[in-house]
Amino acid sequence: MSGSLHQRCAVLYLLLLTFFTATLTAQNTSAASTFYLPKTETQFSFNLANDSNDVFVYLTSPAYSWVGVGFGHGMKNALMLVVYANAKGDNITASPRIATGHSEPTFSPDVKLDMLPGTGVSDGMFVLKALCRSCRVWPNGFLDADSTAQPMLYAFGPAKNLNSDRPDAPLKRHYNYGTFSMNMREATGKGGVPAPSSQSSGVSSESPLVRDRDSKSLAHAIMGCLAIFVLWPINIILAGFLRNIKIHIGFSTFIMVCLIMSYALGIATSGQYNRSKAFTSPHQIFAFLAILPMTLISVLPMKRIASLKSWIPRLHAPLTSLTLTLLILTGGLGLHLSSSSTPIILTYLAVSILVFSFIALIQLCVRRRGSAYARASTRRRLGDEDEQDYGLAEYWARRKLEGSRSQSQASSNVTWEEEQQRRRPKSQESQSRGVFGGGTMPGPHYMMNMHPGVPVTFK
């Protein structure tokens, strides 16, 4: 009987201990709304403290170049918390930013974000535990604590690590992005960092993960490289080895159109990034400098301008080389501005050296022998036969040769004296008139005569 009583007391003690432990755990657990993305094992949870304006944040995600979560319908006027690896790669940098449009968000020093213990990089995952003291209201936006469907957004940068201690470090365009909405009432309660979870709670709607495509930047790079590395060398060959200058002019116009399109796309892309919005980067400065020689190349060959001074046409070749050099430097600086990888930059450098050397060799050959158009113009000015009519001239030369051969065959029976008489110049005939002996030159029968022109009879 006593043994049974002891067993009952032990069971009751365990039940009471379990009850009090669960009660304490429930009291210590903060209210939170959680968004969980199974595809990337990304969790974003936050808690609204009911006794203050503080917002507690918990974020864990794979270590892409950067990961961002924001409050807002879209990027415009949205407050975003962006996380990326620090310079050493052993911790994270958390940067509160505000976006002014569909562009890179700008660091906001007015938003105070305190990093809490447990923040860092663990097993290739970013872990952020933070207290945001100014996250409920920001310029042109606020967090509605009574909303049951607060619009939210998130984005992932490319796989390349950023590694920076700067809160305003430049970001590459996001690789994927998505949206969802959360219940703010469910997230309101006792203040504290939410616990890790692999289940969504308080999420009322969610859009699928979208793959982003930066078509403008890609088209900007393709148009520029096409004009510099493909069309430009072809145009140099056309200018040096074709007599028809109109082909060179038409091809140059096409190159100019490609460059104008590349410039327009580059200007449209510049507004998407903080590092290029002010148009003060070396890439943009060199691009604007290249406009001057390009304009001179287009204007100076005009007849009215080229005829003003004799040295104006000679500026075309050096201006072409200067423009090409500036455009190649502009492209290389553009790769640096866009944070391109080292293999892409080295490939661009190798192609640039190859194309520049090829063009320099072609220009050297043309300079030594002269362009086909210049040689044709010189021949026309001197009245020489033009290469365009070379085939026709060769045809008439053959006809003339055939005619001379037929005449030689027809006159094969003419005597030697008659042939000499026929070939004698008219000037000699006029001089021989009035000379004694009838003006006849000594023939073969008078070779022994000491007085040429006097007939002698041999018996």
Side-chain angles (χ1 to χ4, degrees):
M1 183 74 180
S2 60
S4 175
L5 180 62
H6 285 298
Q7 290 178 352
R8 291 178 180 177
C9 290
V11 171
L12 180 62
Y13 173 76
L14 291 175
L15 292 174
L16 291 175
L17 180 62
T18 302
F19 173 77
F20 283 113
T21 301
T23 302
L24 292 174
T25 302
Q27 292 177 352
N28 292 330
T29 301
S30 302
S33 289
T34 299
F35 168 73
Y36 183 76
L37 185 64
K39 186 175 182 179
T40 59
E41 298 182 355
T42 298
Q43 177 193 347
F44 172 68
S45 303
F46 68 100
N47 160 267
L48 302 180
N50 54 13
D51 56 351
S52 67
N53 290 326
D54 296 339
V55 177
F56 291 89
V57 178
Y58 178 82
L59 171 66
T60 179
S61 182
Y64 298 106
S65 62
W66 59 269
V67 179
V69 178
F71 306 92
H73 292 278
M75 292 191 66
K76 185 176 182 180
N77 299 326
L79 172 62
M80 300 192 67
L81 304 179
V82 182
V83 177
Y84 43 88
N86 65 351
K88 295 182 179 179
D90 58 353
N91 208 330
I92 65 172
T93 300
S95 173
R97 304 190 179 205
I98 297 177
T100 57
H102 193 70
S103 59
E104 178 185 358
T106 305
F107 170 65
S108 177
D110 295 333
V111 179
K112 306 301 181 182
L113 191 65
D114 297 336
M115 313 281 280
L116 301 179
T119 297
V121 180
S122 177
D123 297 329
M125 301 284 287
F126 290 148
V127 178
L128 172 64
K129 296 181 179 181
L131 169 62
C132 186
R133 301 186 182 276
S134 306
C135 285
R136 294 205 182 189
V137 179
W138 60 91
N140 300 317
F142 68 96
L143 187 62
D144 187 2
D146 294 328
S147 174
T148 58
Q150 171 67 37
M152 308 285 291
L153 67 160
Y154 65 96
F156 302 106
K160 181 182 176 181
N161 291 334
L162 179 58
N163 295 99
S164 177
D165 294 330
R166 295 171 46 190
D168 60 344
L171 304 178
K172 296 193 68 174
R173 187 181 175 101
H174 44 60
Y175 185 79
N176 299 98
Y177 65 92
T179 59
F180 60 96
S181 59
M182 301 188 77
N183 190 335
M184 297 293 100
R185 294 182 179 179
E186 187 174 332
T188 303
K190 181 180 178 181
V193 178
S197 175
S198 59
Q199 298 291 331
S200 294
S201 62
V203 177
S204 57
S205 64
E206 178 183 349
S207 68
L209 192 64
V210 180
R211 169 73 182 276
D212 184 34
R213 299 186 184 277
D214 192 4
S215 56
K216 290 182 180 179
S217 296
L218 181 61
H220 167 66
I222 291 177
M223 295 299 294
C225 290
L226 176 65
I228 297 173
F229 297 132
V230 179
L231 301 180
W232 201 286
I234 295 176
N235 197 30
I236 294 295
I237 295 175
L238 296 178
F241 299 101
L242 288 186
R243 287 185 329 98
N244 192 346
I245 196 64
K246 294 182 179 180
I247 298 179
H248 170 60
I249 295 175
F251 214 81
S252 299
T253 303
F254 181 63
I255 294 177
M256 192 64 64
V257 171
C258 293
L259 290 175
I260 291 175
M261 294 177 61
S262 179
Y263 269 75
L265 292 169
I267 292 173
T269 304
S270 297
Q272 299 179 1
Y273 302 95
N274 297 329
R275 52 191 178 275
S276 58
K277 288 180 179 178
F279 293 92
T280 56
S281 66
H283 167 69
Q284 294 164 316
I285 292 174
F286 272 83
F288 291 138
L289 288 177
I291 294 177
L292 177 59
M294 277 194 296
T295 304
L296 293 177
I297 290 174
S298 304
V299 173
L300 292 182
M302 296 181 179
K303 291 183 178 181
R304 292 184 178 180
I305 299 178
S307 60
L308 295 177
K309 297 291 183 179
S310 60
W311 48 265
I312 291 180
R314 294 195 294 269
L315 294 177
H316 186 74
L319 285 175
T320 301
S321 300
L322 175 61
T323 303
L324 178 63
T325 303
L326 290 175
L327 290 177
I328 290 178
L329 290 175
T330 299
L333 293 171
L335 293 178
H336 177 72
L337 180 64
S338 62
S339 302
S340 298
S341 61
T342 302
I344 294 179
I345 295 177
L346 293 177
T347 302
Y348 180 87
L349 178 61
V351 173
S352 300
I353 294 175
L354 180 63
V355 171
F356 194 85
S357 301
F358 173 76
I359 291 177
L361 180 62
I362 295 298
Q363 289 179 337
L364 179 62
C365 296
V366 172
R367 192 178 298 112
R368 287 185 174 182
R369 67 191 295 267
S371 66
Y373 173 73
R375 296 197 311 272
S377 300
T378 303
R379 283 192 299 269
R380 286 193 296 268
R381 187 171 60 254
L382 298 178
D384 293 341
E385 190 178 64
D386 197 355
E387 287 183 4
Q388 186 176 1
D389 302 326
Y390 178 75
L392 185 61
E394 186 178 8
Y395 168 76
W396 287 112
R398 288 198 303 268
R399 291 290 302 270
K400 185 177 180 180
L401 180 59
E402 293 175 357
S404 61
R405 288 177 179 175
S406 61
Q407 290 179 3
S408 61
Q409 293 176 359
S411 60
S412 59
N413 297 326
V414 180
T415 61
W416 187 87
E417 294 87 347
E418 294 176 347
E419 182 67 20
Q420 292 297 324
Q421 181 66 23
R422 185 177 64 82
R423 293 185 178 182
R424 183 189 304 168
K426 294 181 179 180
S427 59
Q428 294 182 4
E429 293 180 4
S430 61
Q431 293 176 1
S432 62
R433 292 176 183 176
V435 180
F436 182 77
T440 58
M441 293 297 293
H445 297 291
Y446 311 127
M447 296 302 293
M448 298 300 294
N449 193 345
M450 297 299 296
H451 304 281
V454 180
V456 178
T457 302
F458 291 90
K459 295 185 179 179

